[in-house]
Amino acid sequence: MEENSKDLSERIWRAFSSMKLGLALLGIIALVSGIGTIVPQLEQAPEKAKQLGQIWQWMGITHLYNTVWFRLLLGLLCINLIVCSIQRLKGIYLRTFKLKPPTTLEQVPLKIRLTLKGESAQLRESVQTVLKQKGYRFSLSNQSDWSFIAIKRRLGNWGSLITHLSFVVLVIGALLGSLFGFKGSFMEGAGTTFPIQEIQLSKGKVSETFDVRINSAEDRFLPNGERDNWYTDMSILENGQEVSRQTLSVNHPFKYHGITFYQANFANGVSYTIDMKGKKTSVVLRDQGQSYFQAPGTELYLVTAIKSGSSQKADVLYQVYKGTEEKPIQAGQLTTGQTIDVQGTYQLTFNGLAGFTGLQVKKDPGVAIIWLGCVLLVVGLILAFYWQPIVISGIIQSEDGVQGNLTTGALSGKMTANSQAALERMVDSVSKLLK
Amino acid sequence: MLENLETAMFYILVMASTLAMLLYLIWLGTKKEFIGQLATYLTIVALIANIMAIILRMITSGHPPLSNGFEFILTFVGGIIAVYLFAEYRYKLRALGAFVMPIPFLLLMFIIMKMGPEERIAQAIPPALKSQWLTFHVVTAMFAYGAFAVSFGLGAMYLIKLSKEGTQKNSNQQGIVSRFPPLDRLDELAYKVVGFAFPLLTLCIITGAIWANYAWGTYWSWDPKETWSLITWIIYAGYLHARLMYGWKGKRAAWLAIFGFAAVLFTFFGVNYLLAGLHSYAS
Ligand code: HEM
């Protein structure tokens, strides 16, 4: 029984240490990702995705990247990568830090080899001088014949290992984000205050309790008429007290206690004051009737559209609807500062134009890990491809103890031509010294 | 004034690269040294004109060349020609020109046939595109994609040489492929070029993610453009591993290099023209 379970775990270990499995997983992930760009996804095209049948949704085809089995694929790949890395760790360590000089001629790499004749003692001297000069680290052996092994850019050996582990780090970062973060957005007019819990969420939950106040929202233009940026001046209120205030714009987010606000959208709006039996409230309505105001306790709906003007002086159109009736029961035009009566229910004052700002709100505790993974990934790749180690070894054999035969060879590595060139340069320098 | 100069540069680029492509092809057949040299000089002219056009565009519009498809293609073409010229010079590999230069030619023809003047003029960029990261994003993409185009050319050369050597010993056709380096040299060069480009593609994806995080608050949103760049990345990772592991050198590696470049093109065009997404401003 014990034998069996050992056998099984060994078999599993071996399966996960295979690059074949890794490549198969990568292939499947690529394929599944590709399908997700053809089949509409709930995240990008919710309406189209919902038109697909229930079965599709149930299988997760409409939200592929969030399904359990897509995560399972990523998880398997991570296990694969970790097992692979563990297995290769010792070999890489030995190849980097514990290089052993050859003891016989056969141990000198055969594929790229050069030989040189000379006086033994002088050969030894010259080889060491050249290796030092060219920045190699080397170790020597005097066992039967004099021999050496030298390595340059040895950290390059760690490139692929670091690359592989960086991928695991990235997956962990993404997982943290999806478990403990949230993502949402809101579209609010200047002057409004609302609790952070009320934003529209697309992912996760908000546990924070502060309020957000939009002080102003502006769509600014450059003198040449091009759009400069959208700006939002906003405050964070804890128990009604302002604790932080910042102006943000696209590409210049604002961060508060791990929650980041990003400028994402902008719309023009109209600011009104509504006086209902002496109780004043201010509302900002979006242009073109994209938002409405329902007077409390009534069936009156107010929408508005901007006709002309700037923020100082403007004309707007307004319409009041009752219930689900198709025609407005009251409509007209207002200029800045004007007050009218709406159906004897409330007084409407038009204060002027106001911006409507659309912000994305996000909390992602995994982001730092993601950037760490990115740094590791880049470092690993640079080591793997731009910092490839060169390993040269050689042995001096002598018949009479005075004259010797230096046989050197280079490990061919992944780019044979580079190793070849490095060996040639070294032998060239040694033979120059001999003269 | 500057706009006119830019247009002139664009047409010099078109003419020089078209002629260069033809001359590389003729050179393959005739082996006249003079023709080969002329092809190289014309390619250099094309690169200079391309760089000038991009710089003029940046001066007149005041931002990096990324406000529309025209500017993207221009940058892409520049990347291909620059990496190609480097490879030709470094590896003494003029025959490669006949396989790489048709790519910028086709890209430029795409502009001429499919893009009207209104699609070519500089456009105001939305606020989201005003970021330094985007400049890195474009520069890394330019060189990575350029290098992938070169590895595509090397893969094609490999397959042609392999099929010609494998089947007939027809002296004339043998003559053309005899100008190609030996097969294993081609294979190693392709690997080298992919090895140069893969870290750049990775950086391109990462800088894109950093920028997206600044602009939208999500470093990765699985929009089609991102997803296809990931697929491209996986294909080239597959290329690197397959080559190490099964000794999938040679023929199969060459096919993977070609396949990978097809994915690059799809990421570039297919996504803009066939699939819609967040990157739709790029079309
Ligand atoms: C996210 C996916 C992966 C990436 C980005 C990646 C990246 C790399 C890179 C850049 C190299 C160096 C290649 C070269 O020098 O030509 C490499 C080598 C290697 N990879 Fe991966 N890899 C991935 C997945 C895997 C998987 C799943 C396995 C196996 C389980 C694996 C096993 C290996 C092995 C054995 C090497 C050879 C290392 C050497 O000889 O130095 N890789 N990988």
Side-chain angles (χ1 to χ4, degrees):
Chain A
M1 190 63 210
E2 195 149 285
E3 276 295 290
N4 264 347
S5 68
K6 200 171 157 205
D7 211 43
L8 186 68
S9 62
E10 208 156 277
R11 286 232 304 267
I12 293 175
W13 179 267
R14 214 171 324 130
F16 272 110
S17 68
S18 103
M19 197 147 111
K20 232 184 224 169
L21 175 68
L23 281 188
L25 284 170
L26 276 176
I28 297 170
I29 290 171
L31 195 72
V32 172
S33 310
I35 292 173
T37 64
I38 299 165
V39 180
Q41 298 290 296
L42 282 169
E43 288 232 321
Q44 275 112 21
E47 287 81 25
K48 278 195 201 153
K50 278 181 193 137
Q51 283 168 13
L52 293 175
Q54 280 288 316
I55 299 180
W56 291 66
Q57 298 199 22
W58 180 77
M59 287 196 301
I61 311 280
T62 53
H63 49 277
L64 275 175
Y65 311 113
N66 294 321
T67 52
V68 175
W69 50 272
F70 191 69
R71 289 189 180 164
L72 194 69
L73 282 175
L74 290 177
L76 287 175
L77 184 63
C78 285
I79 296 174
N80 193 183
L81 284 166
I82 292 170
V83 171
C84 257
S85 302
I86 292 175
Q87 253 192 349
R88 292 173 52 236
L89 194 61
K90 192 166 166 217
I92 295 176
Y93 175 76
L94 293 179
R95 268 187 284 132
T96 312
F97 300 115
K98 294 279 181 265
L99 287 169
K100 290 219 162 39
T103 51
T104 63
L105 193 61
E106 286 71 45
Q107 286 175 3
V108 177
L110 193 64
K111 209 167 138 200
I112 308 174
R113 228 185 216 198
L114 289 173
T115 56
L116 204 61
K117 272 191 184 9
E119 207 222 319
S120 294
Q122 221 187 351
L123 271 175
R124 270 175 248 163
E125 270 313 298
S126 318
V127 165
Q128 292 184 51
T129 316
V130 169
L131 288 178
K132 256 185 224 147
Q133 212 178 39
K134 293 193 181 295
Y136 283 90
R137 288 163 191 271
F138 56 93
S139 49
L140 307 172
S141 154
N142 244 330
Q143 276 185 341
S144 55
D145 298 305
W146 186 87
S147 66
F148 74 92
I149 187 156
I151 185 168
K152 196 153 112 172
R153 301 203 290 245
R154 58 180 184 168
L155 292 182
N157 273 331
W158 296 87
S160 60
L161 191 92
I162 295 174
T163 306
H164 291 141
L165 291 182
S166 72
F167 192 82
V168 179
V169 173
L170 286 172
V171 171
I172 292 173
L175 194 67
L176 279 180
S178 73
L179 288 182
F180 303 113
F182 69 78
K183 214 166 103 184
S185 62
F186 62 80
M187 186 96 198
E188 293 289 346
T192 42
T193 304
F194 57 95
I196 185 75
Q197 304 249 356
E198 277 179 14
I199 63 168
Q200 284 215 343
L201 283 176
S202 60
K203 247 188 213 153
K205 268 206 192 97
V206 184
S207 52
E208 286 75 2
T209 53
F210 57 79
D211 289 339
V212 175
R213 186 176 69 214
I214 305 299
N215 303 308
S216 74
E218 261 186 86
D219 185 8
R220 266 184 230 159
F221 289 86
L222 296 170
N224 67 5
E226 273 188 33
R227 170 165 286 127
D228 169 18
N229 212 325
W230 297 317
Y231 293 90
T232 301
D233 174 0
M234 61 172 278
S235 301
I236 305 287
L237 313 176
E238 300 261 20
N239 305 318
Q241 293 287 311
E242 180 176 282
V243 288
S244 181
R245 180 171 184 163
Q246 179 99 25
T247 301
L248 62 155
S249 57
V250 179
N251 282 333
H252 299 279
F254 161 50
K255 202 161 186 165
Y256 179 75
H257 284 198
I259 298 181
T260 318
F261 296 82
Y262 301 85
Q263 184 77 52
N265 209 339
F266 186 88
N268 288 309
V270 180
S271 163
Y272 289 110
T273 302
I274 283 148
D275 184 346
M276 209 169 166
K277 296 174 194 130
K279 192 167 166 278
K280 284 190 181 173
T281 44
S282 64
V283 296
V284 186
L285 295 184
R286 278 177 70 179
D287 191 15
Q288 304 298 339
Q290 289 185 65
S291 62
Y292 61 86
F293 168 74
Q294 182 182 7
T298 70
E299 282 219 297
L300 298 175
Y301 298 92
L302 171 74
V303 295
T304 193
I306 298 167
K307 192 165 175 234
S308 65
S310 62
S311 48
Q312 281 86 31
K313 186 108 183 75
D315 292 320
V316 294
L317 302 172
Y318 76 94
Q319 291 178 324
V320 179
Y321 289 85
K322 184 161 191 201
T324 52
E325 281 171 32
E326 266 182 35
K327 288 222 170 92
I329 53 170
Q330 186 178 345
Q333 182 173 335
L334 299 168
T335 54
T336 309
Q338 197 178 343
T339 304
I340 52 148
D341 180 82
V342 175
Q343 301 295 305
T345 315
Y346 59 86
Q347 302 290 119
L348 181 68
T349 308
F350 167 41
N351 304 321
L353 299 185
F356 235 90
T357 189
L359 301 191
Q360 300 255 15
V361 189
K362 194 190 71 169
K363 177 174 165 182
D364 188 346
V367 162
I369 310 257
I370 291 287
W371 300 146
L372 173 72
C374 288
V375 169
L376 285 176
L377 182 57
V378 172
V379 168
L381 288 174
I382 287 175
L383 286 178
F385 291 108
Y386 299 146
W387 199 250
Q388 300 205 326
I390 292 182
V391 181
I392 291 176
S393 60
I395 190 163
I396 297 177
Q397 289 176 317
S398 161
E399 268 144 42
D400 54 6
V402 182
Q403 287 297 311
N405 239 339
L406 170 67
T407 308
T408 58
L411 229 54
S412 63
K414 282 171 237 153
M415 296 190 186
T416 318
N418 293 4
S419 305
Q420 176 101 36
L423 185 66
E424 276 164 14
R425 277 199 303 273
M426 187 200 91
V427 171
D428 198 44
S429 307
V430 172
S431 65
K432 271 193 194 126
L433 270 187
L434 287 178
K435 273 173 202 152
Chain B
M1 175 53 208
L2 286 181
E3 279 86 349
N4 290 341
L5 196 57
E6 185 206 304
T7 311
M9 285 301 152
F10 175 75
Y11 283 103
I12 291 176
L13 162 67
V14 173
M15 283 185 292
S17 53
T18 308
L19 268 178
M21 173 190 73
L22 293 173
L23 288 176
Y24 276 118
L25 288 166
I26 296 170
W27 177 77
L28 261 193
T30 61
K31 307 185 182 183
K32 287 225 167 60
E33 192 49 30
F34 163 72
I35 291 181
Q37 266 172 9
L38 197 60
T40 304
Y41 290 138
L42 278 169
T43 312
I44 295 172
V45 169
L47 181 63
I48 294 171
N50 193 319
I51 293 171
M52 290 286 289
I54 292 174
I55 290 177
L56 288 168
R57 170 59 62 99
M58 285 172 69
I59 292 173
T60 48
S61 70
H63 53 70
L66 40 80
S67 76
N68 57 24
F70 172 74
E71 294 176 2
F72 275 115
I73 295 179
L74 212 55
T75 320
F76 188 14
V77 167
I80 297 174
I81 298 180
V83 178
Y84 165 70
L85 273 175
F86 178 78
E88 179 189 316
Y89 168 78
R90 177 73 201 277
Y91 305 117
K92 306 278 168 288
L93 199 63
R94 189 169 277 149
L96 184 56
F99 294 88
V100 175
M101 289 307 285
I103 302 168
F105 170 74
L106 290 175
L107 289 170
L108 291 170
M109 285 306 119
F110 178 83
I111 292 182
I112 289 177
M113 316 272 246
K114 289 278 175 206
M115 288 188 172
E118 71 290 346
E119 284 178 84
R120 298 192 209 171
I121 53 171
Q123 273 143 11
I125 54 172
L129 294 185
K130 293 184 179 174
S131 165
Q132 279 304 316
W133 289 107
L134 213 52
T135 314
F136 286 114
H137 186 58
V138 173
V139 169
T140 48
M142 171 175 156
F143 285 108
Y145 286 4
F148 286 137
V150 170
S151 73
F152 164 86
L154 287 163
M157 276 171 92
Y158 185 98
L159 292 174
I160 290 170
K161 182 162 176 124
L162 187 72
S163 73
K164 288 278 151 58
E165 281 188 345
T167 54
Q168 73 250 72
K169 295 278 174 207
N170 183 317
S171 67
N172 184 28
Q173 280 161 322
Q174 221 11 55
I176 292 178
V177 294
S178 71
R179 313 213 111 190
F180 297 3
L183 284 174
D184 47 354
R185 175 95 180 117
L186 282 173
D187 183 52
E188 186 168 323
L189 279 180
Y191 170 65
K192 252 186 173 162
V193 173
V194 174
F196 163 77
F198 189 71
L200 286 176
L201 178 65
T202 311
L203 262 179
C204 173
I205 296 176
I206 292 176
T207 47
I210 295 175
W211 161 58
N213 194 57
Y214 268 108
W216 293 301
T218 352
Y219 52 82
W220 193 263
S221 54
W222 293 104
D223 87 88
K225 196 103 176 171
E226 281 170 359
T227 308
W228 274 95
S229 68
L230 178 72
I231 294 172
T232 310
W233 189 76
I234 291 179
I235 292 175
Y236 282 109
Y239 170 94
L240 295 170
H241 285 86
R243 229 177 149 284
L244 281 174
M245 176 180 57
Y246 303 119
W248 259 34
K249 298 195 179 179
K251 195 171 167 185
R252 285 187 268 195
W255 275 114
L256 264 178
I258 288 172
F259 196 50
F261 189 63
V264 167
L265 287 180
F266 189 79
T267 310
F268 204 83
F269 287 102
V271 175
N272 284 2
Y273 294 96
L274 302 177
L275 310 167
L278 269 180
H279 271 76
S280 49
Y281 55 77
S283 62

